[in-house]
Amino acid sequence: MNAYEIAVIPGDGIGPEVVDATLPFVADAAEERGAAFETTRFEWGTEYYLDHGEMMPDDGLDRLAEFDAIFLGAVGHPEVPDHVTLHGLLLPIRKGLDQYVCERPNVLFDGIESPLRGYGGGDVDFVVYRENTEGEYADIGGREHRGFDHETAVQSALFTRRGTERIIRAAFEAATEREGHLTSVTKSNAQAHSMVFWDDIVEEVAAEFPSVEVERLLVDAAAMDLIRRPHEFDVVVASNLFGDVLTDIGAQITGSMGLAPSGNVHPGPEYPSMFEPVHGSAPDIVGDGVANPLATVLSWSLLFDDLGEGDVADALWDGVADQLADGSAPRTPDLGGSAGTEAVVSDLRSRL
Ligand code: NAD
Ligand code: IPM
Ligand code: MN
């Protein structure tokens, strides 16, 4: 039996709801397939911030670095500004543990009705490779002359050759394992420095992958085409901000924010990767017991896949697919049902 040490950060809002509802079931499913894991729970987040003045302790990243993987619920609280909470916990982990590949699958499952007319199960299946450590999320800039008419804000984007090349190469590698089609999304008609640089690197890396067919889209056209012809996408590679925006579209056209999983992957052995649902803390439904736990289960599936535990990963993924395909299974309100989080998890348990 392989045994793993997993750090769990439930975080804010519905984060603890979906993490606590899924953890015992996921632990059993893993153990039954020969992958035991111990969790260490870190109660970091906005409550911690209100008590301690920081979202996590100073040595937080060093402590996380010791684990085999990290699972995170969500971060964000109506009482504290988002730039404080996200810059205090989620974003420093992605950057500090060099989790440069943000991998976000977008799959329209059987039994799920897409808001797009005519699309059924299996018709949408693409993965977004989002750069996760720099780009528009670089913490470079400042505000000057506060309160004056000439008050100024500067926010610079950072595109390094190393950072750009490695996410593009990771996306090409993924394309060779999938359908061999890669869409690079930029805005090089307007952003003539960083995005033309990105295009140049796509061209360089493409030479190493002659079997991959490369398409380039401007981000506005990509937003349109993800709605107009989502069936044609396979692997999408984009900068940090563009990848963020496009994956909310991906979640919605495949049924719900409550079904979208995500991995923040550091591909080497130096640091652990972190897995989390794409959604946030959903303050509008917190405490109602209706948060969809399936994005969380699918994110656990990505975690086990990354650890090399394919059987566990497949069991969790297939269990979700099986439940969604069953018209009589419980569903949360985001999928048009009236069941709660717990009912969905216990049904899933019975399927595995
Ligand atoms: P959100 O994802 O929290 O919610 C958007 C909408 O989707 C809401 O109507 C919500 O009820 C619904 N939703 C989300 N997850 C759901 C689930 N599992 N089941 C059913 N419905 C679900 O995005 P938001 O409202 O823009 O942001 C709320 C807070 O979360 C903000 O503080 C934001 O900064 C933060 N946020 C954090 C993360 C993260 O931790 N990774 C991601 C996105 C937003
Ligand atoms: C996401 C979220 C985060 C991001 C926010 C909360 C900083 O929207 O994980 O998609 O932009 O990466
Ligand atoms: Mn987002």
Side-chain angles (χ1 to χ4, degrees), residues 104 130 244 248 278:
R104 296 189 160 180
R130 164 189 182 189
D244 175 47
D248 265 32
V278 173

Side-chain angles (χ1 to χ4, degrees), residues 75 82 86 90-91 94 102 104 130 132 137 240-241 243-245 247-248 257 262 264 276-280:
V75 181
D82 279 340
L86 276 314
L90 177 67
L91 298 174
R94 290 180 183 165
C102 181
R104 296 189 160 180
R130 164 189 182 189
N132 217 25
Y137 280 41
N240 211 331
L241 179 63
D244 175 47
V245 175
T247 51
D248 265 32
M257 212 54 208
S262 176
N264 303 281
E276 51 167 338
V278 173
H279 66 70

